[in-house]
């Protein structure tokens, strides 16, 4: 549901590719450019300066690149996962080759003959690589519940799972999330539920502590019943809503065997997080424990 894209900076000599970034990347589009922003913007600037473009259009691209260079932490279009940091090369092409050894990208945008990428013409032809599924259905077992979340975890550092009926004891989804957090470098997970869990810390010690990554922080939050209707997984890079929640369920051969996922807007996700934070601040929600 989310894609991590390698984007050739040589394309920034074209208004079409600049338009792709501005219009089709970021939180509400499910695509992020994976890159060391300062190095990428500096390299892209050379192509923008040499581009045969009207002065106004050229300046628009240069302004965008200058802003990206000055504010590399801005994540509207760019995100670099933990496992990709610290890998350097002589330029974007060398960096890209090294990163492919770390982990393949969802796809590459480039017009270079040296790379198997897609071009703006391919995108205009609605090629499969470009497509981002905004909704899907999954079987309600821990593997299938978590699998679509992995593409979001790749481009995120923190995650909030909000499900009023999410339980803590012997929950295989928790274990599956911890396993993927360890592989992908997620630094914090917050579980939010309305289910009371006596002895939650003891459950953590017994069920999860051994497999929890050492550099991962976790909190367990209980909110009052009926504060939230839908269930969400929300990160700083994107968010998914599920009407059926994120708990495993026994297969019965009925429609309810499937959970439906839908990606949601930044505005909706921010509203949910704001309401949650206000409940915690007012004391109506309880942070039962955190590690």
């Amino acid at each position: 549901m989310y894609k991590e894209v390698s984007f050739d900076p040589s394309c920034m000599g074209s208004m079409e590719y600049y338009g792709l970034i501005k219009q089709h990347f970021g939180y509400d589009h499910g695509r992020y450019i994976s890159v060391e922003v300062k190095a990428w913007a500096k390299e892209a600037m050379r192509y923008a300066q040499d581009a045969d473009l009207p002065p106004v259009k050229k300046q628009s691209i240069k302004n965008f690149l200058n802003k990206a260079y000055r504010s590399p932490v801005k994540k509207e279009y760019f995100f670099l996962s933990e496992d990709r940091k610290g890998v350097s090369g002589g330029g974007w092409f060398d960096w890209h080759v090294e990163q492919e050894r770390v982990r393949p990208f969802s796809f590459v945008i480039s017009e270079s003959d040296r790379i198997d990428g897609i071009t703006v013409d391919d995108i205009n032809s609605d090629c499969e690589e470009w497509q981002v599924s905004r909704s899907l259905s999954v079987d309600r077992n821990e593997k299938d519940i978590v699998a679509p979340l992995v593409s979001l975890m790749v481009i995120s550092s923190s995650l909030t799972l909000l499900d009023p009926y999410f339980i803590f004891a012997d929950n295989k989804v928790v274990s599956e999330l911890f396993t993927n957090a360890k592989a992908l470098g997620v630094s914090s997970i917050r579980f939010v539920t309305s289910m009371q869990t006596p002895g939650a810390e003891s459950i953590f010690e017994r069920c999860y502590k051994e497999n929890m990554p050492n550099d991962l922080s976790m909190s367990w939050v209980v909110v009052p019943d009926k504060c939230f209707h839908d269930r969400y997984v929300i990160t700083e890079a994107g968010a998914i809503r599920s009407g059926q929640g994120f708990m495993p369920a026994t297969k019965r051969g009925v429609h309810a065997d499937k959970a439906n996922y839908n990606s949601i807007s930044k505005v909706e996700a921010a509203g949910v997080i704001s309401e949650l934070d206000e409940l915690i601040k007012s004391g109506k929600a309880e942070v039962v424990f955190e590690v």
Side-chain angles (χ1 to χ4, degrees):
M1 299 180 75
Y2 291 86
K3 293 195 172 183
E4 181 194 26
V5 182
S6 185
F7 199 108
D8 189 338
S10 69
C11 293
M12 292 305 289
S14 163
M15 282 298 294
E16 290 181 290
Y17 288 99
Y18 168 60
L20 283 181
I21 296 177
K22 295 285 287 184
Q23 298 172 30
H24 298 287
F25 282 82
Y27 201 108
D28 291 340
H29 301 285
R31 303 180 192 90
Y32 280 90
I33 297 169
S34 179
V35 75
E36 294 278 4
V37 181
K38 277 197 169 186
W40 182 87
K42 184 176 181 180
E43 188 171 346
M45 182 65 78
R46 298 200 301 268
Y47 295 99
Q49 290 172 335
D50 293 341
D52 184 17
L53 292 171
V56 173
K57 292 184 177 181
K58 180 183 288 192
Q59 192 59 46
S60 293
I61 298 175
K62 290 168 64 177
N63 289 344
F64 172 82
L65 293 173
N66 277 323
K67 187 175 181 181
Y69 184 86
R70 291 195 303 269
S71 306
V73 297
K74 184 177 177 60
K75 298 199 172 51
E76 185 173 355
Y77 310 108
F78 307 99
F79 192 92
L80 190 68
S81 60
E82 285 297 324
D83 61 344
R84 295 199 187 280
K85 293 179 180 178
V87 179
S88 60
W92 175 83
F93 178 79
D94 293 334
W95 179 90
H96 169 83
V97 171
E98 288 297 316
Q99 292 293 349
E100 283 284 333
R101 298 189 183 111
V102 173
R103 178 167 36 81
F105 295 98
S106 300
F107 62 88
V108 186
I109 293 179
S110 176
E111 294 196 345
S112 172
D113 294 335
R114 298 187 294 173
I115 295 177
D116 183 18
I118 63 173
T119 68
V120 71
D121 291 334
D122 296 317
I123 293 168
N124 290 336
S125 298
D126 212 24
C127 66
E128 183 178 351
E129 293 90 340
W130 178 251
Q131 300 305 308
V132 175
S133 173
R134 308 306 283 166
S135 63
L136 56 85
S137 295
V138 300
D139 287 329
R140 298 180 68 183
N141 61 74
E142 70 275 9
K143 295 288 185 182
D144 289 326
I145 286 171
V146 172
L149 308 180
V150 171
S151 64
L152 181 54
M153 294 171 73
V154 164
I155 54 174
S156 306
S157 59
S158 60
L159 180 150
T160 294
L161 186 153
L162 191 162
D163 181 344
Y165 300 102
F166 200 75
I167 64 173
F168 197 36
D170 299 313
N171 188 335
K172 293 181 179 179
V173 170
V174 176
S175 297
E176 190 70 14
L177 283 171
F178 282 170
T179 297
N180 282 281
K182 185 175 184 178
L184 301 173
V186 174
S187 60
S188 68
I189 296 180
R190 176 169 59 171
F191 296 100
V192 183
T193 181
S194 296
M195 305 296 289
Q196 295 296 328
T197 308
E201 290 187 72
S202 297
I203 292 171
F204 169 76
E205 294 283 340
R206 184 179 73 251
C207 298
Y208 307 116
K209 184 177 181 178
E210 184 178 352
N211 295 322
M212 180 174 163
N214 293 330
D215 55 353
L216 178 71
S217 63
M218 189 214 80
S219 60
W220 185 261
V221 182
V222 175
V223 297
D225 192 22
K226 299 181 180 178
C227 278
F228 298 95
H229 173 68
D230 284 317
R231 288 82 162 215
Y232 302 89
V233 165
I234 298 173
T235 79
E236 74 275 25
I240 293 170
R241 178 178 61 227
S242 172
Q244 294 80 8
F246 302 97
M247 280 296 299
T250 302
K251 198 166 187 176
R252 297 182 296 156
V254 296
H255 185 266
D257 287 341
K258 296 280 189 179
N260 297 316
Y261 287 1
N262 295 280
S263 56
I264 62 172
S265 71
K266 188 174 185 178
V267 171
E268 181 177 352
V272 173
I273 294 298
S274 177
E275 290 177 26
L276 172 60
D277 289 344
E278 183 58 36
L279 286 171
I280 295 172
K281 182 179 179 181
S282 66
K284 295 178 181 178
E286 178 189 4
V287 180
V288 176
F289 80 98
E290 51 190 344
V291 290

